[in-house]
Amino acid sequence: MNDDDKVTPQAPRLLHDELPEEHEDPLIRWLHVVIRFAIKVLAVMMVLVIIWGVLDVVYVLYTKFISPPVLLFEVGDIFVIFGAFMVVLIAVEIFINIRLYLGTNVLPIRLVIATALMAIARKVIILDIETITAEEMLAIAAVVLALGVTHWLVGKQE
């Protein structure tokens, strides 16, 4: 094996066609650097939100376990726990969206739609049927249907 046959590993390069590192205008080039930095700051903040959300899930579980009747959940408690879990999962999806936006040259449309579906699913799971109006229920159903069809259509093209 000679030196030409060796493959040298390259560090992963962040790509984004809309925010190129090279641009003829120095101001635009600098603004692209600022925007890429801002996206990285958003990613760090989203990780902090995820950690905070996990701590919230632990707190919710703990308070529901120790409140009377001890170690038993009521139906409402289960919905609160599901809601806490779903918020963390949605935050993880948003972090993945941010990471893919920064690290690829394509907008992850299917993942964005899936994140929106997860968010509306959380709304449906924790929905209090006794306090919602018929118009609100129809609006939620329309959003679920539109997102579901969009996700299916985008998936069909792949």
Side-chain angles (χ1 to χ4, degrees), residues 1 60 66 73 76 81 84 86 94-95 111 137 149 151 155 158:
M1 178 181 234
V60 167
I66 64 168
F73 293 140
I81 293 167
M86 292 293 286
I94 291 170
F95 171 79
L111 184 60
M137 183 69 84
V149 168
H151 190 270
E158 294 177 358

Side-chain angles (χ1 to χ4, degrees), residues 136-155:
E136 290 172 324
M137 183 69 84
L138 287 172
I140 290 171
V143 169
V144 169
L145 180 63
L147 285 171
V149 168
T150 304
H151 190 270
W152 175 70
L153 287 172
V154 169

Side-chain angles (χ1 to χ4, degrees), residues 10-40:
Q10 294 180 345
R13 214 171 97 76
L14 296 178
L15 305 169
H16 211 285
D17 288 346
E18 289 82 18
L19 301 171
E21 291 178 2
E22 302 84 24
H23 196 276
E24 66 266 3
D25 186 347
L27 175 64
I28 299 297
R29 187 172 49 246
W30 181 78
L31 291 174
H32 288 177
V33 169
V34 170
I35 291 170
R36 281 193 304 273
F37 177 76
I39 293 169
K40 290 176 184 178

Side-chain angles (χ1 to χ4, degrees), residues 2-155:
N2 61 27
D3 289 335
D4 293 338
D5 293 338
K6 292 181 182 176
V7 177
T8 57
Q10 294 180 345
R13 214 171 97 76
L14 296 178
L15 305 169
H16 211 285
D17 288 346
E18 289 82 18
L19 301 171
E21 291 178 2
E22 302 84 24
H23 196 276
E24 66 266 3
D25 186 347
L27 175 64
I28 299 297
R29 187 172 49 246
W30 181 78
L31 291 174
H32 288 177
V33 169
V34 170
I35 291 170
R36 281 193 304 273
F37 177 76
I39 293 169
K40 290 176 184 178
V41 170
L42 284 174
V44 169
M45 289 190 301
M46 186 53 65
V47 169
L48 295 174
V49 167
I50 291 167
I51 292 168
W52 192 293
V54 169
L55 294 175
D56 182 60
V57 169
V58 170
Y59 176 75
V60 167
L61 280 171
Y62 175 74
T63 57
K64 297 301 177 188
F65 270 133
I66 64 168
S67 61
V70 177
L71 299 178
L72 293 176
F73 293 140
E74 295 179 10
V75 173
D77 296 336
I78 293 172
F79 286 131
V80 170
I81 293 167
F82 284 172
F85 271 91
M86 292 293 286
V87 166
V88 174
L89 293 175
I90 291 166
V92 169
E93 292 292 327
I94 291 170
F95 171 79
I96 293 169
N97 283 325
I98 293 169
R99 171 59 189 97
L100 286 175
Y101 181 79
L102 188 61
T104 64
N105 59 357
V106 293
L107 184 62
I109 296 294
R110 193 167 188 192
L111 184 60
V112 172
I113 295 167
T115 303
L117 269 169
M118 184 179 284
I120 198 71
R122 178 192 178 273
K123 177 71 176 173
V124 170
I125 288 170
I126 65 169
L127 197 62
D128 186 1
I129 299 297
E130 296 174 4
T131 61
I132 193 168
T133 66
E135 291 84 11
E136 290 172 324
M137 183 69 84
L138 287 172
I140 290 171
V143 169
V144 169
L145 180 63
L147 285 171
V149 168
T150 304
H151 190 270
W152 175 70
L153 287 172
V154 169

